[in-house]
């Protein structure tokens, strides 16, 4: 009985001492012994840039402000390692350990990283790589780009894999500088691309970009500026934020520039300071676009109560994803009865967070939880492959070097929480997506869209967003309102979003999908009205043979030929009568024939003009009408010569009669004009042309003639007209039956009047009907001689034969002689 009491007393005493020992020497959350160690760097506390030292010394992180979200990520790494150690498939018979540190600053937290790269407590950076085993096979962390850039070179020397869950700066994709750097968080370029998708979705073009003034923020700014080039999105204002920032002046500048959309690319502690100033300065009715570093942060949500006045908050975040078992792990952690405030075993391995409840940790900002979880599992899978694990066991005769783990990390390809973990050649993740979140008036977070990197799918349900505007419509943020249709933009200032609107003039158009700053000229074959967005084909116009004008003029031309032929027959039948002889005798037939041949030109003024048509428009008329004029000159001269010159200059008359001067003159005129036309058409051939200038909506098909070159062909007809007019005027007082001079003079006056009318019309009008007008002028010229010179004679022959006798003409001559002698 005494023996039993003694044994019971010893058991109770052993239990008490064991419990006391647990409280006196607690198990540290920062360390776990194992076959292989993974390093961890978490900024459980945060020291801003205002922390100065008078001499070099290590920062005591536990005295700095506590970051609950980082502590949650810290616990998630512990959970991940424990979950892997309890797995029978991943790393069987291998126990992972960890060594973690509170990395609260980038300037004075080096003992932790140095401890991780040490070998037996020593650091020999000048030794050959891989001469000794490092303390850890890989490191998870750090959170920020600035801290990662500070410590990464320490791990790069021995190719120790550094798998970051938060460092998003683009610089880490450069494998020349960071050969063993990997990350499970998407780089800044992906986040910026999602933000740009949001801006494009709501047509926000006038934005401000506030960023933390470190590697992470400046990289985000550079990427944003590069990606917005040529998109129509203007960066109206940007400002780097740090502990010295004058937030009041920054917000005042944003309001002064009427910027309604503000992108904030900064970690949570920087945004907290910003939001304090926002509430103090009563900055309202803005759209805030949050980066993934603070879009799910509870502290900032609580800080921005009264979100209706603040405006609308949208954000880019990881999609909500539950990690099975994590909540139970936290509850189990807080149920343990050990002293969490016990003395740290190594520098910055103390939390001072015993007052936290399990719910506070679980409900903290879940951002970057999946990246932490993925980072630990990526390392575990890489080690699994290095150790050639399989069939429930891993080989224990393999010496593991960090570079071996790095090699397998790069080849990662496994499934975790229904997504496949893979890395590209830069060590950036090829998995995951982003959610578009909205903070409602209750400061709760709703997912309203997504951006999937596999296939680059973007979608946002704007009906779920309750905008801060009074109408509930999407707010606008532009420097200048969009121009109306048909107006071009003229840039006003340095920003392409600031512009004036100018209407595009006639014969130009604006391409709404192309360059909005340029009115594009229409082609020569097109036209447009003022303010057009496209050009219309110009109507091609010419006078077809079926046109009423063409038909009428051609009928008149046929009538002229018929009348000329009929007159020729009539004169032939009465060839020896005085009227026919006084009209010119055989010359009448030449004149009538030339008038008919001249009318051929009329037919080539209709139909689609060609080069051949253009030549035939002018050559028959110029040639044969010149012969007609030469005949009338000769006829006028002969009349004057008979009655006035023969008596005064008998030798001239005898020479004229002996050598048939009239026919010689006509022949010379014909040959000379033929040569002139040949020279003219050789050096300046009439060609078909398109008149583009008279009517902007039409193209007039016409013939082009060089008037300077054509003047040589007009010299002779004009000279003949002048001579004819002179001789006709000299014979105006001759006997009535011999007074062809009056008829010729009248014909010449009609000819001159006809071409004056045509020239006036040509100056005032350039449409398609100028061609039938010219054909009409030709016909009028021909009809003037036919009607006023030949018709009176035909009338006497037919209806007054008594005047067509020799006796009648003799009486008239005798009467004229008596008058002259008196």
């Amino acid at each position: 009985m005494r023996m039993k009491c003694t044994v019971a007393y010893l058991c109770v005493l052993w239990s008490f001492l064991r419990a006391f020992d647990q409280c006196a020497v607690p198990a540290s959350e920062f360390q776990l012994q194992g076959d292989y160690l993974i390093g961890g760097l978490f900024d459980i506390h945060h020291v801003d840039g205002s922390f100065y030292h008078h001499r070099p010394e290590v920062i005591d992180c536990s005295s700095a402000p506590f970051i609950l979200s980082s502590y949650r990520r810290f616990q998630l790494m512990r959970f991940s390692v424990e979950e892997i150690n309890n797995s029978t498939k991943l790393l069987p018979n291998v126990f992972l350990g960890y060594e973690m540190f509170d990395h609260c600053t980038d300037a004075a937290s080096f003992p932790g990283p140095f401890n991780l790269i040490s070998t037996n407590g020593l650091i020999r950076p000048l030794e050959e790589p891989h001469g000794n085993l490092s303390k850890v096979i890989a490191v998870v962390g750090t959170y920020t780009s600035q801290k990662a850039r500070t410590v990464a070179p320490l791990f790069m020397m021995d190719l120790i894999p550094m798998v970051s869950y938060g460092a998003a700066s683009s610089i880490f994709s450069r494998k020349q500088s960071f050969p063993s750097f990997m990350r499970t968080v998407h780089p800044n370029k992906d986040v910026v691309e999602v933000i740009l998708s949001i801006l494009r979705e709501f047509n926000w073009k006038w934005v401000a970009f506030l960023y933390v003034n470190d590697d992470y923020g400046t990289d985000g700014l550079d990427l944003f500026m590069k990606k917005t080039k040529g998109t129509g999105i203007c960066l109206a204002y940007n400002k780097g934020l740090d502990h010295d920032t004058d937030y009041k002046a920054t917000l005042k500048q944003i309001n002064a520039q009427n910027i309604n959309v503000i992108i904030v690319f900064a970690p949570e502690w920087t945004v907290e300071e910003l939001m304090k100033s926002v509430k103090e300065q009563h900055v309202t009715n803005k759209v805030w676009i949050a980066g993934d570093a603070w879009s799910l942060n509870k502290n900032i949500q609580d800080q921005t109560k009264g979100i209706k006045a603040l405006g609308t908050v949208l954000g880019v975040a990881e999609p909500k994803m539950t990690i099975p078992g994590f909540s139970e792990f936290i509850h189990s952690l807080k149920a343990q009865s050990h002293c969490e405030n016990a003395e740290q075993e190594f520098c910055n391995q103390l939390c001072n967070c015993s007052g936290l409840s399990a719910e506070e940790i679980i409900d903290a900002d879940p951002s970057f939880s999946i990246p932490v979880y993925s980072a630990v599992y990526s390392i575990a899978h890489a080690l699994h492959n290095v150790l050639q694990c399989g069939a429930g066991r891993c080989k224990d005769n393999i010496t593991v070097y960090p570079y071996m783990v790095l090699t397998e990390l790069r080849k990662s390809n496994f499934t975790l929480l229904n997504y496949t973990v893979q890395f590209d050649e830069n060590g950036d993740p090829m998995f995951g997506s982003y959610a578009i979140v909205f903070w409602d008036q209750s400061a709760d977070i709703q997912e309203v869209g997504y951006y999937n990197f596999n296939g680059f799918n973007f979608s946002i349900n704007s009906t779920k967003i309750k905008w801060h505007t009074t109408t509930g419509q999407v707010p606008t943020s532009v420097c200048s309102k969009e121009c109306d249709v048909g107006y071009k933009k003229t840039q006003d200032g340095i920003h392409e979003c600031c512009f004036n609107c100018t209407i595009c003039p006639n014969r130009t158009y604006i391409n709404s999908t192309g360059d909005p700053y340029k009115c594009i000229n229409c082609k020569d074959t097109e036209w447009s009205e003022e303010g057009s967005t496209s050009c219309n084909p110009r109507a091609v116009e010419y006078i077809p043979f079926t046109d009423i004008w063409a038909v009428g003029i051609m009928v008149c031309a046929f009538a002229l030929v018929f009348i000329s032929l009929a007159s020729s027959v009539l004169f032939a039948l009465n060839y020896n009568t005085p009227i026919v002889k006084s009209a010119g005798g055989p010359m009448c037939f030449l004149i009538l024939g030339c008038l008919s041949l001249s009318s051929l030109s009329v037919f080539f003024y209709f139909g689609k003009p060609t080069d051949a048509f253009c030549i035939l428009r002018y050559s028959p008329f110029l040639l044969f009408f010149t012969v007609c004029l030469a005949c009338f000159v000769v006829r006028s001269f002969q009349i004057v010569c008979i009655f006035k010159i023969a008596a005064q200059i008998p030798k001239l008359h005898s020479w004229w009669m002996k050598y048939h001067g009239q026919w010689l003159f006509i022949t010379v005129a014909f040959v000379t004009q033929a040569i002139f036309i040949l020279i003219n058409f050789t050096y300046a051939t009439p060609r078909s042309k398109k008149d583009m200038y008279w009517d902007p909506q039409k193209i007039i098909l016409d013939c082009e003639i060089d008037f300077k070159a054509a003047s040589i062909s007009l010299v002779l007809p004009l000279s003949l007209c002048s001579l004819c007019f002179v001789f006709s005027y000299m014979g105006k007082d001759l006997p009535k039956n011999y007074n062809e001079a009056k008829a010729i003079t009248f014909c010449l006056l009609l000819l001159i009047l006809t071409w004056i009318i045509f020239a006036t019309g040509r100056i005032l009008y350039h449409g398609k009907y100028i061609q039938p007008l010219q054909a009409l002028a030709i016909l009028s010229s021909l009809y003037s001689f036919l009607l006023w010179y030949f018709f009176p004679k035909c009338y006497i022959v037919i209806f007054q034969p008594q005047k067509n006798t020799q006796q009648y003409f003799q009486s008239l001559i005798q009467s004229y002689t008596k008058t002259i002698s008196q």
Side-chain angles (χ1 to χ4, degrees):
M1 186 66 177
R2 184 177 294 179
M3 179 64 69
K4 290 181 180 179
C5 290
T6 301
V7 172
Y9 173 77
L10 291 175
C11 287
V12 172
L13 180 62
W14 179 82
S15 300
F16 175 77
L17 291 175
R18 187 170 180 269
F20 177 81
D21 182 65
Q22 283 182 344
C23 188
V25 187
S28 174
E29 291 183 303
F30 290 84
Q31 295 176 342
L32 178 67
Q33 297 300 318
D35 301 320
Y36 299 96
L37 289 182
I38 300 175
L41 298 175
F42 294 85
D43 48 352
I44 299 173
H45 300 83
H46 174 69
V47 177
D48 63 20
S50 62
F51 196 98
Y52 296 105
H53 297 281
H54 297 291
R55 61 177 184 175
E57 61 181 88
V58 176
I59 294 290
D60 180 11
C61 291
S62 61
S63 61
F66 176 72
I67 307 298
L68 179 58
S69 57
S70 288
Y71 182 68
R72 185 182 191 278
R73 291 187 281 270
F74 167 82
Q75 292 295 346
L76 188 58
M77 178 172 171
R78 296 184 64 230
F79 163 75
S80 303
V81 172
E82 180 177 301
E83 189 176 56
I84 292 168
N85 286 337
N86 292 332
S87 172
T88 57
K89 294 181 179 179
L90 183 61
L91 292 175
N93 77 302
V94 172
F95 195 81
L96 278 181
Y98 51 77
E99 181 97 17
M100 293 191 283
F101 294 91
D102 187 359
H103 196 71
C104 59
T105 173
D106 60 333
S109 286
F110 284 96
F114 281 146
N115 183 277
L116 294 177
I117 64 172
S118 65
T119 304
N120 297 324
L122 299 176
I123 300 176
R124 298 175 182 173
L126 298 180
E127 253 187 16
E128 292 185 4
H130 319 307
N132 294 297
L133 290 174
S134 65
K135 187 173 185 179
V136 293
I137 58 169
V139 177
V140 174
T142 61
Y143 173 52
T144 67
S145 297
Q146 188 74 15
K147 294 171 183 175
R149 190 171 184 182
T150 303
V151 301
L154 300 176
F155 301 106
M156 301 301 107
M157 290 188 300
D158 290 331
L159 293 180
I160 299 173
M162 183 177 180
V163 186
S164 176
Y165 54 87
S169 176
S170 300
I171 193 173
F172 299 116
S173 296
R174 304 174 190 171
K175 294 301 100 177
Q176 300 91 333
S177 303
F178 302 93
S180 62
F181 189 93
M182 311 282 286
R183 54 183 158 193
T184 50
V185 64
H186 282 275
N188 280 339
K189 65 181 180 65
D190 293 339
V191 179
V192 169
E193 187 59 46
V194 181
I195 292 174
L196 286 176
S197 297
I198 296 174
L199 297 180
R200 286 191 289 262
E201 176 72 17
F202 298 111
N203 201 31
W204 292 326
K205 297 183 177 181
W206 190 240
V207 300
F209 194 96
L210 305 182
Y211 60 97
V212 62
N213 197 13
D214 63 11
D215 285 351
Y216 167 72
T218 54
D219 179 64
L221 175 66
D222 291 342
L223 288 169
F224 185 82
M225 294 175 68
K226 289 177 182 177
K227 287 181 176 289
T228 51
K229 284 184 179 179
T231 63
I233 298 172
C234 293
L235 181 56
Y237 178 76
N238 69 85
K239 178 68 176 177
L241 308 178
D242 53 33
H243 60 280
D244 293 325
T245 298
D246 184 351
Y247 288 102
K248 180 179 179 180
T250 298
L251 296 172
K252 185 177 180 180
Q253 183 65 29
I254 289 173
N255 275 329
Q257 292 187 236
N258 196 29
I259 303 169
N260 294 328
V261 175
I262 306 170
I263 301 164
V264 184
F265 211 77
E268 57 193 83
W269 45 84
T270 302
V271 179
E272 287 176 0
E273 292 298 318
L274 171 65
M275 289 304 169
K276 285 180 184 178
S277 185
V278 166
K279 295 188 76 173
E280 290 172 0
Q281 302 302 319
H282 304 290
V283 178
T284 59
N285 300 325
K286 304 293 183 184
V287 175
W288 301 85
I289 300 181
D292 57 345
W294 66 278
S295 57
L296 301 178
N297 191 274
K298 287 289 185 180
N299 289 339
I300 300 174
Q301 291 175 40
D302 294 339
Q303 187 182 0
T304 56
K305 294 293 186 182
I307 196 169
K308 185 69 175 179
L310 178 69
T312 303
V313 179
L314 299 177
V316 180
E318 298 168 21
K320 291 182 179 179
M321 188 176 295
T322 302
I323 300 177
F326 179 62
S327 297
E328 291 78 2
F329 172 80
I330 296 299
H331 282 287
S332 174
L333 170 71
K334 302 308 293 183
Q336 293 178 10
S337 58
H338 61 277
C339 300
E340 298 181 19
N341 292 324
E343 184 179 354
Q344 56 186 332
E345 294 190 14
F346 193 80
C347 183
N348 289 329
Q349 289 188 326
L350 187 63
C351 178
N352 286 333
C353 47
S354 57
L356 291 174
S357 66
E359 286 71 21
E360 287 179 299
I361 299 174
I362 294 169
D363 293 338
D365 183 356
S367 299
F368 306 100
S369 296
I370 297 301
V372 171
Y373 193 62
S374 302
V376 177
Y377 266 88
S378 297
I379 296 170
H381 275 274
L383 180 61
H384 183 92
N385 294 335
V386 170
L387 295 175
Q388 301 176 17
C389 299
R393 187 167 185 82
C394 298
K395 294 183 179 181
D396 54 8
N397 59 345
I398 297 177
T399 302
V400 179
Y401 291 93
Y403 75 88
M404 299 166 65
V405 178
L406 175 63
T407 301
E408 294 300 326
L409 262 174
R410 291 172 176 167
K411 298 187 292 185
S412 294
N413 189 354
F414 62 93
T415 301
L416 185 67
L417 298 180
N418 296 322
Y419 61 89
T420 302
V421 177
Q422 289 180 299
F423 299 94
D424 62 16
E425 65 276 7
N426 297 320
D428 296 332
M430 296 172 62
F431 56 91
S433 60
Y434 274 116
I436 313 301
V437 298
F438 161 67
W439 292 10
D440 63 20
Q441 296 181 22
S442 303
D444 292 330
I445 297 174
Q446 299 181 30
E447 288 191 12
V448 295
Y450 66 89
Y451 189 99
N452 194 339
F453 294 103
N454 295 326
F456 303 100
N457 297 322
F458 172 77
S459 177
I460 189 166
N461 186 356
S462 57
T463 60
K464 292 184 177 181
I465 303 173
K466 306 301 179 184
W467 301 103
H468 63 270
T469 55
T470 54
T471 60
Q473 299 296 315
V474 178
T476 60
S477 186
V478 295
C479 179
S480 301
K481 290 184 178 180
E482 283 299 317
C483 294
D484 293 333
V485 175
Y487 285 75
K488 74 170 183 176
K489 297 177 181 178
T490 303
Q491 190 166 323
D492 182 17
I494 62 172
H495 295 290
E496 64 176 341
C497 295
C498 302
F499 49 81
N500 299 316
C501 297
T502 307
I503 193 168
C504 287
N506 294 332
R507 302 192 68 181
T508 66
Y509 72 99
I510 188 77
N511 185 356
S512 57
T513 60
D515 186 357
Y517 295 90
K518 182 180 180 182
C519 293
I520 304 171
N521 292 325
C522 293
K523 297 178 182 178
D524 290 341
T525 57
E526 297 175 333
W527 71 278
S528 68
E529 294 180 346
E530 188 179 62
S532 296
T533 57
S534 62
C535 293
N536 303 311
R538 295 173 69 174
V540 179
E541 290 194 347
Y542 59 91
I543 302 298
F545 287 102
T546 56
D547 187 85
I548 185 67
W549 280 87
V551 172
I553 291 172
M554 286 189 293
V555 168
C556 291
F558 280 119
L560 185 141
V561 174
F562 176 77
I563 294 170
S564 298
L565 182 61
S567 299
S568 298
V569 172
L570 181 63
F571 284 0
L573 294 175
N574 297 275
Y575 183 74
N576 293 318
T577 61
I579 285 292
V580 175
K581 289 180 179 179
S582 68
M587 197 176 293
C588 292
F589 301 104
L590 177 60
I591 295 173
L592 290 169
C594 287
L595 289 176
S596 299
L597 291 173
S598 296
S599 68
L600 291 176
S601 294
V602 170
F603 295 94
F604 298 101
Y605 279 89
F606 311 111
K608 191 172 183 178
T610 62
D611 292 348
F613 269 43
C614 291
I615 293 173
L616 293 173
R617 277 186 184 186
Y618 301 107
S619 54
F621 177 71
L622 286 173
L623 183 60
F624 296 111
F625 194 69
T626 299
V627 175
C628 288
L629 291 174
C631 291
F632 283 110
V633 169
V634 168
R635 186 67 192 132
S636 301
F637 176 76
Q638 284 179 327
I639 295 171
V640 173
C641 184
I642 290 171
F643 288 95
K644 294 186 176 183
I645 300 178
Q648 299 175 10
I649 313 175
K651 289 184 178 180
L652 177 62
H653 181 261
S654 62
W655 180 89
W656 180 268
M657 297 301 294
K658 179 180 179 180
Y659 293 102
H660 302 285
Q662 68 273 28
W663 299 112
L664 181 62
F665 182 82
I666 293 170
T667 302
V668 170
F670 174 78
V671 173
T672 303
Q673 182 66 344
I675 293 172
F676 284 169
I677 292 174
L678 184 63
I679 292 172
N680 176 21
F681 287 0
T682 300
Y683 291 97
T685 307
R687 299 183 183 279
S688 60
K689 73 165 186 176
K690 297 177 179 179
D691 187 347
M692 304 282 191
Y693 306 104
W694 175 251
D695 191 331
Q697 300 183 19
K698 299 175 182 177
I699 299 174
I700 310 299
L701 299 185
D702 198 358
C703 289
E704 182 178 28
I705 186 168
D706 188 340
F707 288 101
K708 290 183 179 179
S711 60
I712 191 173
S713 301
L714 299 175
V715 170
L716 188 56
L718 292 174
S719 301
L720 292 175
C721 279
S722 301
L723 281 173
C724 189
F725 194 83
V726 170
F727 290 139
S728 299
Y729 185 80
M730 290 173 63
K732 67 181 184 301
D733 56 347
L734 294 178
K736 185 177 180 181
N737 278 30
Y738 280 93
N739 199 1
E740 282 85 2
K742 288 183 179 180
I744 293 173
T745 302
F746 186 71
C747 292
L748 290 173
L749 290 174
L750 286 178
L751 178 68
I752 293 169
L753 181 62
T754 296
W755 288 101
I756 288 175
I757 293 173
F758 169 74
T760 304
R762 182 79 183 188
I763 292 170
L764 299 177
Y765 175 71
H766 288 264
K768 66 177 181 177
Y769 287 104
I770 199 66
Q771 299 172 56
L773 182 63
Q774 187 170 358
L776 199 59
I778 291 174
L779 274 182
S780 179
S781 302
L782 300 178
Y783 268 105
S784 64
F785 287 103
L786 182 63
L787 297 179
W788 300 106
Y789 185 81
F790 289 103
F791 260 34
K793 295 171 176 52
C794 293
Y795 180 81
I796 291 172
V797 171
I798 298 172
F799 298 105
Q800 295 178 341
Q802 69 277 10
K803 294 182 179 181
N804 191 16
T805 62
Q806 193 69 31
Q807 293 80 5
Y808 184 76
F809 271 79
Q810 287 289 339
S811 65
L812 290 175
I813 293 172
Q814 290 173 1
S815 176
Y816 175 76
T817 304
K818 290 178 181 180
T819 303
I820 293 298
S821 62
Q822 291 176 356

